């Protein structure tokens, strides 16, 4: 902590170091809770400014704030950005040489560091704890706190032992933060970290700038290519897939079609992963094709889309991953494909997963919620926020079901036929064979098994095979079928099947819309957009000049461009055209250190631009 900082208010620190005039929802209350020495639990969506909730108290309180972070890339990015803002921050992790680690340790012991980022594995080392007990500790910040919960989407066993360490510092306030946690996960976090008496802060989960779309997968590679080309050519984005081989394949396929795509997965050599991540952060227009190994801690604000070519693991995972789009507040898209094969695959993975029946039951509920979201005929935002316990009246007019409401049809008879076919064939076959039977297709396998002689052979000719695949997909999603995990995997009836078969329950199904070429993204009309202001005021050329200057500065400093200034800050610079340092400091995102370091270059460019008009 600087000698002068103790006399500063949280607002003054916010302005001085981060360049903003006002706090967002809950930030000030959280900060004041920690400054008062009390614990806090913070649940805020990605991009809402969670980090400030512990960074400002660490700057203001005596001692060093210890931030427990799960990924080396996450802590390195945050420390780099903090140093640009003039904050005394450092990290200790396995990426440092012994000499570099010793230098950081000396700086911390000398009171020269306000924020120290460490991984949970280092926190648990006896030697590190002995060293830490000799320090004044300002606070413990447990970032990505959902990692402590076995019900969460990213469980890390090391997180369960964090309490062992923090309990030895009973007078040091703790703050646990996460962007995604349903009610079960929230309770688990509070219990595992002994935070039941902490003040709890929960911000809205709504990301109004994100448009949500879910489509049926027909040709995934072509669909994602068309999606990017139609609405996001030249934009930064993330495409999530389930397997490493598929990741490599999709990235290469997109590159062959002139989309600047890179693969990222745990099977790549560490130096290649690091290179690809660095390119994604520092260059414009990179599309990262990735498994879930990529994403946590990626603070790139101008990601314009997140696409899922395979179903994510849960609604929490979906929300967390889609939340990496549009962190700058500008329009972005969350776009997902899914198919009957995805549903079957996810159910197989669930039943084969480790853990007792209680864990599997919770996971089934999470999968059912995701499938229900995918098949909903109502507003997707209402369904997504409702999962996290947040009412939303809808319609949002910013999702596919609002803009193109799907048609529904009475599928009761079709479902009865399908359930009867599953039963009469012995509950051991997948959709392909069952659809052949229903459509009366006398294949070699149907004849071999004698299934042309059962009552359901040929009773479903009123529907095409594509329509039957939709029926089976929606039956799985509704829990009317399950996947038998015996030696021969096939569909089985469930307790929910009986009332439908007996005619006691009617079923409505959604009609899969015809394949539609995606439209170019229209700017949102629901909120003011600085980008529209640039066009209206004719300052778009200046904005592009400012972006080029920022890129040049970032490349020389070896930084991602957004660490210098966010696009939103450049937009405000282009609109306001400050003429001196005082006016520059009125721009959101320009603090004292950045004004000192970069301000004159941007002022000179703005001044030169005015004289060329």
């Amino acid at each position: 902590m600087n000698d002068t900082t103790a006399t500063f208010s949280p607002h003054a620190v916010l302005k001085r170091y981060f360049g903003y005039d006002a706090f967002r929802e809950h930030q000030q209350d959280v900060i004041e809770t920690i400054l008062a020495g009390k614990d806090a639990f913070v649940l805020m969506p990605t991009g809402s400014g969670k980090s400030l909730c512990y960074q400002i108290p660490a700057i203001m309180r005596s001692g060093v704030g210890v931030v427990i972070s799960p990924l080396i890339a996450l802590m390195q990015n945050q420390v780099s950005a903090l140093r640009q803002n003039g904050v005394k921050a450092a990290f200790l992790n396995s990426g440092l040489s012994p000499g570099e680690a010793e230098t950081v340790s000396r700086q911390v012991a000398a009171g020269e560091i306000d924020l120290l980022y460490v991984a949970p594995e280092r926190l648990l080392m006896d030697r590190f704890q002995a060293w830490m007990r000799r320090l004044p500790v300002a606070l413990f910040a447990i970032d990505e706190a959902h990692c402590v919960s076995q019900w969460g989407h990213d469980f890390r066993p090391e997180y369960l032992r964090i309490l062992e360490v923090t309990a030895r510092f009973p007078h040091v306030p703790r703050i646990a933060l996460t962007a995604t946690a349903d009610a079960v996960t929230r309770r688990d976090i509070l219990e595992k970290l002994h935070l039941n008496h902490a003040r709890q802060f929960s911000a809205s989960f709504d990301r109004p700038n994100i448009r949500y779309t879910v489509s049926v997968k027909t040709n995934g590679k072509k669909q994602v290519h068309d999606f990017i080309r139609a609405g996001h050519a030249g934009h930064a984005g993330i495409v999530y897939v389930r397997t490493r081989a598929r990741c490599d394949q999709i990235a290469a396929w997109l590159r062959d079609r002139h989309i600047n795509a890179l693969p990222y997965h745990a099977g790549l050599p560490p130096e290649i992963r690091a290179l690809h991540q660095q390119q994604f952060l520092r260059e414009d227009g990179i599309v990262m094709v990735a498994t879930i190994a990529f994403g946590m801690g990626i603070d790139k604000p101008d990601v314009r889309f997140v696409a899922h070519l395979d179903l994510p693991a849960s609604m929490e995972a979906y929300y967390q991953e889609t939340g990496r789009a549009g962190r700058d507040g500008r329009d972005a898209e969350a776009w997902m494909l899914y198919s009957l094969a995805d549903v079957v695959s996810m159910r197989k993975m669930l039943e084969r997963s480790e853990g007792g029946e209680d864990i599997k039951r919770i996971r089934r509920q999470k999968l059912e919620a995701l499938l229900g979201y995918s098949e909903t005929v109502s507003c997707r935002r209402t369904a997504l926020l409702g999962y996290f316990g947040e009412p939303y009246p809808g319609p949002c007019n910013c999702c596919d079901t609002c803009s193109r409401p799907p048609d529904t049809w009475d599928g009761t008879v079709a479902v009865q036929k399908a359930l009867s076919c599953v039963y009469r064939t012995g509950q051991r076959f997948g959709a392909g064979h069952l659809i052949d039977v229903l459509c009366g297709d006398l294949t070699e396998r149907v004849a071999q098994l004698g299934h042309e002689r059962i009552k359901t052979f040929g009773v479903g000719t009123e529907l095409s095979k594509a329509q039957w695949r939709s029926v089976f997909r929606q039956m799985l999603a509704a829990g009317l079928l399950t996947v038998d995990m015996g030696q021969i995997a096939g569909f089985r009836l469930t307790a929910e099947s009986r009332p439908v078969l007996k005619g006691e329950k009617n079923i409505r199904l959604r009609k899969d819309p015809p394949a539609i070429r995606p439209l170019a993204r229209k700017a949102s009309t629901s909120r003011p957009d600085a980008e529209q202001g640039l066009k209206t005021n004719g300052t778009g050329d200046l904005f592009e000049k400012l972006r080029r200057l920022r890129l040049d500065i970032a490349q020389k400093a070896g930084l991602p461009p957004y660490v210098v200034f966010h696009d939103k800050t450049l937009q405000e610079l282009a609109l306001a055209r400050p003429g001196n340092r005082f006016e520059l400091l009125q721009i959101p995102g320009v603090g004292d250190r950045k004004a000192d370091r970069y301000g004159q270059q941007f002022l000179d460019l703005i001044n030169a631009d005015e004289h060329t008009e």
Side-chain angles (χ1 to χ4, degrees):
M1 180 181 70
N2 291 328
D3 293 338
T4 56
T5 307
T7 61
F8 280 24
S9 68
H11 274 99
V13 175
L14 176 72
K15 180 63 178 173
R16 179 181 182 182
Y17 290 97
F18 302 97
Y20 296 105
D21 293 314
F23 285 110
R24 297 182 187 176
E25 182 185 16
H26 295 313
Q27 284 180 327
Q28 185 171 358
D29 289 338
V30 177
I31 289 166
E32 289 177 351
T33 297
I34 301 301
L35 289 176
K38 298 175 182 176
D39 294 339
F41 171 68
V42 176
L43 182 61
M44 291 183 182
T46 302
S48 63
K50 290 188 302 298
S51 299
L52 287 178
C53 293
Y54 62 81
Q55 289 169 350
I56 289 179
I59 292 169
M60 297 183 68
R61 283 177 65 88
S62 177
V64 61
V66 178
V67 185
I68 302 150
S69 179
L71 291 178
I72 289 176
L74 170 59
M75 61 180 75
Q76 289 175 337
N77 290 340
Q78 289 196 317
V79 166
S80 177
L82 285 167
R83 287 174 175 170
Q84 287 295 305
N85 286 326
V87 178
K88 296 180 292 185
F91 57 80
L92 280 173
N93 61 39
S94 57
L96 296 180
S97 69
E100 290 170 328
E102 180 60 31
T103 298
V104 171
S105 297
R106 282 200 307 269
Q107 290 174 329
V108 173
E112 297 171 4
I113 299 295
D114 287 331
L115 277 152
L116 178 67
Y117 286 74
V118 299
E121 294 82 0
R122 182 171 293 266
L123 184 80
L124 296 173
M125 293 178 180
D126 291 338
R127 182 180 174 186
F128 180 81
Q129 292 177 43
W131 172 76
M132 197 166 53
R133 282 196 290 271
R134 299 195 296 269
L135 303 173
V137 179
L139 58 86
F140 287 106
I142 304 160
D143 206 5
E144 308 291 351
H146 57 270
C147 294
V148 80
S149 174
Q150 62 182 333
W151 311 121
H153 61 282
D154 197 21
F155 174 59
R156 306 290 178 93
E158 299 84 10
Y159 264 62
L160 289 173
R161 297 185 57 200
I162 288 174
L163 182 64
E164 296 175 19
V165 181
T166 60
R168 298 188 178 116
F169 299 80
H171 303 297
V172 175
R174 297 172 299 151
I175 175 172
L177 310 99
T178 181
T180 48
D182 62 5
V184 173
T185 305
R186 280 176 237 177
R187 288 195 297 271
D188 209 30
I189 293 170
L190 295 172
E191 178 185 329
K192 294 289 196 319
L193 295 175
H194 286 195
L195 287 171
N196 292 304
H197 299 294
R199 283 197 67 187
Q200 298 182 36
F201 301 88
S202 183
S204 171
F205 279 86
D206 189 20
R207 296 286 302 280
N209 61 312
I210 296 181
R211 176 182 176 81
Y212 297 96
T213 299
V214 181
S215 299
V216 176
K217 188 189 303 180
T218 53
N219 182 337
K221 287 193 297 188
K222 184 177 186 305
Q223 284 171 285
V224 74
H225 171 270
D226 290 348
F227 165 73
I228 295 171
R229 279 287 177 216
H232 295 288
H235 290 172
I238 305 172
V239 177
Y240 281 110
V241 296
R242 188 173 299 128
T243 67
R244 299 174 184 181
R246 187 159 155 77
C247 179
D248 291 330
Q249 180 191 41
I250 297 293
W253 194 86
L254 290 175
R255 280 198 307 277
D256 288 344
R257 283 149 187 83
H258 310 294
I259 291 174
N260 194 1
L262 297 172
Y264 188 104
H265 57 76
L268 291 171
E271 62 274 14
I272 298 297
R273 286 204 309 272
L275 175 63
H276 287 184
Q277 178 168 300
Q278 185 181 80
Q279 286 180 264
F280 180 74
L281 292 174
R282 296 185 182 181
E283 298 177 20
D284 290 332
I286 301 279
V287 174
M288 190 71 90
V289 183
T291 61
I292 58 170
F294 178 79
M296 187 184 290
I298 297 303
D299 195 24
K300 186 176 173 67
D302 61 344
V303 174
R304 296 273 64 84
F305 69 89
V306 169
H308 284 90
L309 282 189
D310 299 308
L311 281 176
S314 65
M315 286 287 274
E316 290 99 324
Y318 173 76
Y319 181 84
Q320 176 102 351
E321 289 159 13
T322 57
R324 288 161 191 153
R327 292 172 67 116
D328 55 7
R330 293 169 55 206
D331 291 339
E333 288 198 75
W335 183 86
M336 182 167 74
L337 298 179
Y338 95 117
S339 66
L340 174 61
D342 285 332
V343 181
V344 172
S345 176
M346 292 297 289
R347 288 202 181 276
K348 286 181 181 179
M349 286 172 60
L350 188 154
E351 296 304 330
R352 287 173 177 159
S353 63
E354 297 179 358
E357 189 52 40
D358 283 347
I359 292 177
K360 288 187 177 181
R361 177 176 53 80
I362 295 289
R363 288 175 179 165
R364 284 190 201 101
Q365 292 172 356
K366 289 176 180 287
L367 176 58
E368 286 162 7
L370 179 65
L371 297 178
Y373 169 81
S374 301
E375 293 290 357
T376 187
V377 296
S378 59
C379 172
R380 291 205 192 277
R381 197 175 305 272
T382 299
L384 181 62
L385 298 181
Y387 176 81
F388 292 103
E390 180 178 338
Y392 183 85
C396 71
N397 298 317
C398 197
C399 71
D400 58 329
T401 53
C402 284
S403 59
R404 289 197 296 257
D407 293 328
T408 63
W409 59 288
D410 186 345
T412 306
V413 173
V415 169
Q416 288 171 334
K417 290 177 180 179
L419 291 172
S420 179
C421 190
V422 170
Y423 180 76
R424 291 177 184 278
T425 54
Q427 302 190 77
R428 62 193 188 97
F429 295 97
H433 179 73
L434 294 169
I435 291 171
D436 286 340
V437 174
L438 287 164
C439 290
D441 192 351
L442 189 58
T443 65
E444 183 179 340
R445 193 178 188 209
V446 169
Q448 183 182 16
L449 295 166
H451 285 168
E452 79 280 9
R453 297 192 296 273
I454 65 175
K455 287 186 176 181
T456 48
F457 181 76
V459 300
T461 55
E462 75 279 9
L463 298 181
S464 68
K465 290 194 173 186
Q467 289 171 315
W468 274 117
R469 282 194 293 273
S470 174
V471 171
F472 276 101
R473 189 189 74 239
Q474 294 185 64
M475 289 167 65
L476 268 170
L480 298 172
L481 291 175
T482 188
V483 180
D484 182 10
M485 295 314 300
Q487 253 188 330
I488 303 174
F491 293 150
R492 294 183 65 86
L493 305 187
T494 70
E496 299 295 322
S497 308
R498 179 179 292 273
V500 180
L501 273 172
K502 295 180 69 174
E504 298 169 356
K505 182 179 180 181
N506 292 332
I507 300 294
R508 292 204 68 81
L509 300 175
R510 62 180 284 157
K511 289 183 180 178
D512 287 345
I516 300 174
R517 187 176 180 85
L519 301 175
R521 182 75 173 94
K522 292 182 179 179
S524 170
T525 57
S526 61
R527 55 189 174 77
D529 193 331
E531 198 169 5
Q532 289 299 109
L534 292 175
K535 295 174 183 176
T536 304
N537 290 287
T539 53
D541 288 344
L542 175 57
F543 172 67
E544 291 303 324
K545 292 177 183 177
L546 293 170
R547 289 186 83 223
R548 288 194 291 271
L549 173 59
R550 178 187 64 176
L551 180 61
D552 183 57
I553 292 171
Q555 288 177 340
K556 288 177 180 176
L559 297 168
Y562 65 82
V563 171
V564 177
F565 285 130
H566 282 201
D567 272 2
K568 287 181 74 173
T569 299
L570 297 187
Q571 289 168 352
E572 294 295 337
L573 284 170
L575 289 168
R577 293 178 177 266
N580 54 51
R581 189 179 189 278
F582 175 80
E583 292 176 357
L584 182 69
L585 286 168
Q586 310 315 304
I587 302 297
V590 182
D592 285 347
R593 179 58 65 90
K594 287 188 176 179
D596 292 340
R597 185 172 291 176
Y598 310 124
Q600 195 57 51
Q601 296 177 71
F602 284 92
L603 289 173
D604 289 346
L605 182 97
I606 293 167
N607 181 60
D609 184 75
E610 286 184 345
H611 285 91
T612 58
E613 291 182 351

